[in-house]
Amino acid sequence: MITIQELSKQCGVSVSTVSKALNGYSDISDKTRELVIKTANEMGYFPNANARALKLKKTFNIGVLFTTHTTMGLRNDYFAHVLSAFKEESAKKGYDITFIENYIGRRKMTYLEHCQFRHFDGVCIVCADYEDQEVVSLASSDFPVVTIDYAFNKTNSIISDNYGGMKQLTNYIIQQGHTKIAYIHGVKTLVTKNRIEGYLSAMADNKVKVPKEYVIEGLYRNPVLTEELAAQLLAMPNRPTCIIAPDDQSAVGVINAIRKQGLQVVKDVSVAGYDGLESQQMIGVRLTTVKQERDNIGKEASRRLVEMIENPQETSPEKIFMKQTLLIGNSVKKLHHI
Amino acid sequence: MITIQELSKQCGVSVSTVSKALNGYSDISDKTRELVIKTANEMGYFPNANARALKLKKTFNIGVLFTTHTTMGLRNDYFAHVLSAFKEESAKKGYDITFIENYIGRRKMTYLEHCQFRHFDGVCIVCADYEDQEVVSLASSDFPVVTIDYAFNKTNSIISDNYGGMKQLTNYIIQQGHTKIAYIHGVKTLVTKNRIEGYLSAMADNKVKVPKEYVIEGLYRNPVLTEELAAQLLAMPNRPTCIIAPDDQSAVGVINAIRKQGLQVVKDVSVAGYDGLESQQMIGVRLTTVKQERDNIGKEASRRLVEMIENPQETSPEKIFMKQTLLIGNSVKKLHHI
DNA sequence: CTGAAAGCGCTTACAG
DNA sequence: CTGAAAGCGCTTACAG
């Protein structure tokens, strides 16, 4: 790997001059600058990021906390998209992405210690257990931090407006004349709670009563369980006219339950989903669903973080809500008795 | 951030001694060592990775090439799993993961240059365009490189045995008495070609003729298109008794096509998938499919790479085939006329 | 067992 | 316009 000294020898100028020429200082003659740059290209010179980081105290490297336990993390489609967009946007701004771990080899290291070790310029907490003490310390550290779908006092946060999205969806279904609307929701995370509130709020706004049995807990991305739960709903004397699934994938389960009951999808029972995945737009019906702006979330998170890194004084912690948009398909029937 | 000098002042010993105590050199008295370590913990000392890297010429950082264009990359479930496992295994061995880009801010930088810039200890090419000249240069560079699902001469490669997996699946279907087996495959990547060969080879081994119309090109993870293509197959005078979908997700499309034709899944037409995703084990039938050992691929890739990094002389480029396992569900009917 | 010194590759005030 | 020098935080041969 060729260094700045070899370049300087080759060009017959001092190391300082080479450095300045390379970094575009103005007090270097055009002749020298051109010579240096030309030689650098010829010799395939590239600076050593570690040396530069040591001197500048800036690594152009962003730490990303991305827990991969169980069903979370990269293996989760939503977060994978967010990360992907975050990575692309950050690269555009000149920053690399490194994952934060809490052990390095056999040595235990907290998330915060890992960040100090690597001297990241900033940190993005994409997906983590926000109750975890280590995560809390990281979020309240001196690092510029942006969090996704969760707000700490001190950090910027990008939050997907699940409350608003669900409310829109429910309102739409009510407008189609439905009042018996059941909601099979996922495990009760913060995201889920917000969605339930959005649902209840839309119902209340429209003075529609919600029988307790209409709101039941299932699992995300689990069509099998969703099918079972939907079957229970359909077996009720007071059968709902519309069932909202935890997400688009699970909506397949609802559809199967309806068909197995000898009923027709849409005609007899309407269905709605959540996520707006292109790949799920199928199943014979076009699912009415809510589209999450996953790519925008990642992008916006990166923009915010770079802003904090480069203009630390001007940026104060903020919560940014990302709108979700209603995608109207043909899976919710318009009822006539209104 | 506290440094080794401050530690040395606090302990009343020299910087050299502190360094050695921290790094477990044997020529340090127990007393001194304990004092240093205790103080380090109290003061929350952590080494500066950049300074250390500069001196040791070792960064404990692995570059990962992970193209995120279009349908590839993180947004693809298969690669997301592989990466996830790679990341976890590497952390266990003490290495961080940083994504490789080919631009840094506005400045164009080839993949190789980026690796030189960051001084990665090794590189894993998880998912990339292997025809791309930049990828080729990286693979043939002096960096320890491991590639996934593609083999260069010079690199170690972890290759999912798609040929063998597909052959197993096809053999199983033939054993159930089927001879009219259609295969809707994905776009013709190397992976797809291997699967087609596996399919053809099983058919040939069993002396089953394959009508040209039975092998048709579709798209991965696209139930809508798959449904259309399956409908075409079902409309043929010489209708297949079993249809293999590009993957588990697309298999839903095949199932829909069968139902819409007024036929019964399994009873009239059998179905098989590919991938072995838990989330797809549903749809009323348990899909017979092939399970890809995604997590093992990532893990093995990491093990190999770390091996190359730490014992460069002992490791020579190797292709490692990862077995795929047949998952027998109930979506392939046993035919009696054999 | 301990410490002074050199050096990893870079940047930047400062002097000329 | 150019260059000598100091220093970023660490490690390690070498001397004592």
Side-chain angles (χ1 to χ4, degrees):
Chain A
M1 221 117 300
I2 117 129
T3 72
I4 213 172
Q5 348 272 353
E6 307 176 48
L7 252 186
S8 107
K9 209 163 292 168
Q10 190 65 225
C11 295
V13 295
S14 76
V15 192
S16 337
T17 303
V18 170
S19 173
K20 285 189 225 163
L22 253 21
N23 290 302
Y25 277 58
S26 58
D27 60 343
I28 295 286
S29 72
D30 289 350
K31 231 183 311 168
T32 314
R33 188 199 328 285
E34 279 159 28
L35 172 66
V36 170
I37 291 177
K38 187 166 145 277
T39 329
N41 286 336
E42 281 170 15
M43 302 181 73
Y45 169 78
F46 254 85
N48 178 327
N50 299 115
R52 183 179 255 169
L54 182 57
K55 184 69 195 169
L56 296 184
K57 300 186 171 310
K58 166 137 194 184
T59 53
F60 285 96
N61 201 182
I62 291 173
V64 169
L65 181 50
F66 210 112
T67 312
T68 46
H69 294 145
T70 64
T71 65
M72 290 168 59
L74 280 177
R75 297 180 177 113
N76 174 323
D77 201 58
Y78 171 73
F79 288 119
H81 267 76
V82 171
L83 176 64
S84 201
F86 184 87
K87 157 179 181 306
E88 285 164 30
E89 183 66 20
S90 301
K92 274 187 202 153
K93 295 285 171 49
Y95 291 82
D96 279 334
I97 300 300
T98 300
F99 287 116
I100 302 172
E101 306 286 343
N102 57 2
Y103 44 85
I104 278 283
R106 243 153 287 142
R107 187 167 184 189
K108 166 69 184 163
M109 208 184 231
T110 65
Y111 291 132
L112 178 54
E113 285 165 347
H114 189 178
C115 293
Q116 292 170 178
F117 172 65
R118 285 282 174 201
H119 283 247
F120 295 131
D121 293 336
V123 168
C124 180
I125 303 181
V126 179
C127 144
D129 173 5
Y130 291 101
E131 315 271 287
D132 183 343
Q133 191 47 50
E134 281 196 21
V135 176
V136 176
S137 330
L138 179 56
S140 46
S141 73
D142 286 335
F143 281 97
V145 176
V146 57
T147 48
I148 288 178
D149 280 349
Y150 189 91
F152 287 102
N153 293 334
K154 224 216 91 237
T155 67
N156 264 288
S157 47
I158 314 294
I159 298 187
S160 196
D161 185 13
N162 284 287
Y163 171 85
M166 190 63 181
K167 189 159 179 174
Q168 266 186 87
L169 175 64
T170 313
N171 270 329
Y172 167 78
I173 297 172
I174 295 172
Q175 279 159 26
Q176 302 309 300
H178 293 264
T179 53
K180 305 204 232 165
I181 307 168
Y183 179 25
I184 304 174
H185 58 77
V187 279
K188 281 210 181 169
T189 56
L190 201 57
V191 165
T192 308
K193 281 179 196 154
N194 287 330
R195 288 187 191 168
I196 295 176
E197 274 174 35
Y199 160 83
L200 291 176
S201 156
M203 296 296 258
D205 286 359
N206 289 278
K207 314 220 183 311
V208 183
K209 265 198 247 149
V210 181
K212 223 186 300 164
E213 324 85 73
Y214 272 18
V215 183
I216 52 185
E217 177 159 346
L219 288 170
Y220 286 113
R221 274 157 284 114
N222 190 322
V224 180
L225 176 61
T226 308
E227 181 171 334
E228 258 175 52
L229 297 174
Q232 286 172 26
L233 284 169
L234 295 172
M236 285 170 39
N238 187 29
R239 190 174 84 198
T241 59
C242 181
I243 299 177
I244 306 175
D247 51 57
D248 291 357
Q249 273 186 57
S250 317
V252 179
V254 176
I255 288 172
N256 286 335
I258 296 172
R259 289 192 178 141
K260 283 205 188 145
Q261 212 94 168
L263 298 169
Q264 285 194 41
V265 178
V266 185
K267 186 155 177 274
D268 297 317
V269 184
S270 297
V271 185
Y274 217 99
D275 273 353
L277 309 177
E278 300 79 28
S279 63
Q280 290 309 123
Q281 295 298 31
M282 44 110 210
I283 343 172
V285 293
R286 277 178 300 109
L287 203 57
T288 292
T289 182
V290 176
K291 188 172 177 194
Q292 304 220 56
E293 301 293 338
R294 306 178 290 185
D295 292 353
N296 280 336
I297 293 171
K299 215 184 222 181
E300 189 59 28
S302 169
R303 287 202 186 125
R304 280 270 126 191
L305 185 56
V306 171
E307 188 60 29
M308 287 173 84
I309 293 171
E310 300 185 348
N311 305 307
Q313 65 293 10
E314 291 165 33
T315 25
S316 53
E318 229 178 297
K319 281 192 204 185
I320 298 168
F321 284 94
M322 299 297 283
K323 282 253 172 60
Q324 302 188 339
T325 50
L326 182 63
L327 282 191
I328 298 179
N330 60 7
S331 69
V332 175
K333 187 183 176 188
K334 181 149 187 90
L335 299 185
H336 296 296
H337 56 74
I338 43 166
Chain B
M1 222 118 297
I2 118 132
T3 72
I4 213 171
Q5 347 273 352
E6 309 176 46
L7 250 186
S8 106
K9 209 164 292 169
Q10 189 66 226
C11 295
V13 296
S14 77
V15 193
S16 336
T17 303
V18 171
S19 174
K20 284 189 224 159
L22 253 21
N23 290 302
Y25 277 58
S26 58
D27 61 345
I28 296 287
S29 72
D30 288 351
K31 233 184 311 170
T32 314
R33 188 199 328 286
E34 280 159 26
L35 172 65
V36 170
I37 290 177
K38 188 165 143 279
T39 330
N41 286 336
E42 282 169 12
M43 301 183 70
Y45 169 79
F46 254 85
N48 178 327
N50 299 114
R52 183 179 257 169
L54 182 57
K55 184 69 195 170
L56 295 184
K57 300 186 172 311
K58 166 139 194 185
T59 53
F60 286 97
N61 202 180
I62 291 173
V64 169
L65 181 51
F66 210 111
T67 311
T68 46
H69 295 143
T70 64
T71 65
M72 290 168 59
L74 281 177
R75 299 183 175 108
N76 174 323
D77 202 58
Y78 171 74
F79 288 120
H81 268 76
V82 171
L83 175 63
S84 201
F86 184 86
K87 156 182 182 306
E88 285 163 32
E89 184 66 19
S90 301
K92 275 188 202 151
K93 295 284 172 49
Y95 291 83
D96 279 334
I97 301 300
T98 299
F99 287 118
I100 303 171
E101 306 287 342
N102 57 2
Y103 44 83
I104 279 283
R106 242 151 288 141
R107 188 167 182 189
K108 168 68 183 165
M109 208 184 230
T110 66
Y111 292 131
L112 179 54
E113 286 165 345
H114 190 178
C115 293
Q116 292 171 177
F117 172 65
R118 286 281 174 202
H119 282 249
F120 294 130
D121 293 337
V123 169
C124 180
I125 302 181
V126 177
C127 143
D129 173 4
Y130 291 100
E131 314 271 287
D132 183 345
Q133 191 46 50
E134 282 196 19
V135 176
V136 176
S137 329
L138 179 56
S140 48
S141 72
D142 286 336
F143 281 96
V145 177
V146 56
T147 47
I148 288 179
D149 280 350
Y150 189 91
F152 288 100
N153 293 334
K154 223 217 92 235
T155 68
N156 264 288
S157 46
I158 313 295
I159 298 187
S160 195
D161 185 14
N162 283 288
Y163 172 87
M166 189 64 182
K167 188 157 180 174
Q168 265 186 86
L169 175 64
T170 311
N171 270 328
Y172 167 78
I173 297 171
I174 296 171
Q175 280 158 26
Q176 302 310 299
H178 293 264
T179 52
K180 305 202 229 164
I181 307 169
Y183 179 25
I184 303 175
H185 59 77
V187 280
K188 281 208 180 171
T189 57
L190 201 58
V191 165
T192 308
K193 281 181 197 154
N194 287 330
R195 289 188 191 166
I196 295 175
E197 273 174 35
Y199 159 84
L200 291 176
S201 156
M203 296 295 260
D205 286 0
N206 290 279
K207 315 221 184 307
V208 183
K209 263 198 249 149
V210 182
K212 223 186 301 165
E213 323 85 74
Y214 272 17
V215 183
I216 52 186
E217 176 159 348
L219 289 169
Y220 287 113
R221 274 157 283 114
N222 190 322
V224 180
L225 176 62
T226 308
E227 182 172 333
E228 258 175 54
L229 298 174
Q232 287 173 25
L233 284 169
L234 295 173
M236 285 169 39
N238 186 28
R239 191 175 82 197
T241 60
C242 181
I243 298 177
I244 306 176
D247 50 58
D248 292 357
Q249 274 186 55
S250 317
V252 179
V254 176
I255 288 173
N256 286 333
I258 296 173
R259 289 192 178 141
K260 284 207 187 145
Q261 211 97 165
L263 298 169
Q264 285 192 43
V265 179
V266 185
K267 186 158 176 272
D268 297 318
V269 184
S270 296
V271 184
Y274 217 100
D275 272 354
L277 308 177
E278 299 82 25
S279 64
Q280 293 307 125
Q281 294 299 28
M282 44 111 208
I283 344 175
V285 293
R286 276 178 299 109
L287 203 58
T288 291
T289 183
V290 176
K291 189 172 176 194
Q292 302 220 56
E293 301 293 337
R294 305 178 291 182
D295 292 353
N296 280 337
I297 293 170
K299 216 184 220 179
E300 189 59 29
S302 170
R303 287 203 185 122
R304 280 270 125 191
L305 185 56
V306 170
E307 188 61 29
M308 286 172 85
I309 292 171
E310 300 184 349
N311 305 308
Q313 66 291 9
E314 290 164 35
T315 25
S316 54
E318 228 178 297
K319 281 192 206 187
I320 298 167
F321 284 92
M322 299 298 283
K323 282 253 171 62
Q324 303 188 338
T325 51
L326 183 62
L327 283 191
I328 298 179
N330 61 7
S331 69
V332 175
K333 186 183 176 187
K334 180 146 186 97
L335 299 185
H336 296 294
H337 56 73
I338 42 168

